[in-house]
Amino acid sequence: MKNKMKQKRETIINIILVLSIIGFLTSLYLVNNHYADPAKGVGCDFGKYVSCSLVNTSAYSEMFNVPVALCGAIWFLFLFFMARRIKKRPETSNLMLLWGALGLLFIIYMIIAEIILKALCPFCTIVHLIVIVVFILSIKLVGT
């Protein structure tokens, strides 16, 4: 039974590691998009209401003159190293849950911003989904 629990923890951590890499790369794309010329458009601009450029150049795209996408990249980088640490020190799982909750609060803010802007950023949505999954996995990790 103990071996099964250890294997479940290992699987959860490995999923979080993969998601952190995907989230990091997606966030880096969004940082690049933040600085791109919005007049030229980018690959994820599909119209008036589905537009990375619109969301990434809005007033909500920065906090204290720092692109929120960069904050996302840093969040995923810390997530990656935190997951690696939990592999060696399982008792630090609560930190992952706290980190996931912080990420969840931030994406709630970003979703509200998209509602206010009446625009959807497809790559932001990928990041939002990853953060939600990481939060759920963090809850499961603490429970194992």
Side-chain angles (χ1 to χ4, degrees):
M1 186 70 160
K2 202 173 198 177
N3 204 16
K4 235 180 180 179
M5 294 278 275
K6 186 178 179 184
Q7 188 177 18
K8 184 178 179 180
R9 287 182 63 79
E10 189 78 20
T11 301
I12 291 170
I13 292 169
N14 287 336
I15 292 168
I16 290 172
L17 286 168
V18 170
L19 290 174
S20 68
I21 293 167
I22 295 168
F24 178 74
L25 294 173
T26 305
S27 295
L28 286 182
Y29 171 80
L30 291 168
V31 170
N32 183 55
N33 179 261
H34 177 78
Y35 292 111
D37 183 2
K40 292 182 180 176
V42 291
C44 58
D45 288 343
F46 299 108
K48 183 178 176 182
Y49 301 109
V50 181
S51 171
C52 291
S53 294
L54 179 67
V55 174
N56 279 323
T57 58
S58 73
Y60 302 100
S61 68
E62 291 185 352
M63 288 184 132
F64 309 110
N65 292 324
V66 176
V68 293
L70 181 59
C71 296
I74 293 168
W75 188 87
F76 283 112
L77 194 60
F78 273 93
L79 177 68
F80 179 83
F81 288 110
M82 194 178 303
R84 291 197 46 169
R85 177 185 168 102
I86 289 172
K87 269 189 169 186
K88 295 174 186 164
R89 299 189 61 201
E91 67 275 6
T92 59
S93 296
N94 287 336
L95 288 174
M96 178 76 72
L97 181 59
L98 183 62
W99 195 246
L102 181 66
L104 187 63
L105 288 173
F106 192 74
I107 65 160
I108 289 170
Y109 165 79
M110 295 310 302
I111 291 168
I112 291 169
E114 287 181 322
I115 291 168
I116 292 169
L117 293 168
K118 296 180 182 151
L120 177 73
C121 169
F123 281 88
C124 298
T125 302
I126 291 169
V127 169
H128 300 164
L129 292 173
I130 291 172
V131 172
I132 291 167
V133 170
V134 165
F135 180 70
I136 292 167
L137 291 174
S138 298
I139 293 170
K140 289 182 179 266
L141 192 62
V142 169
T144 59

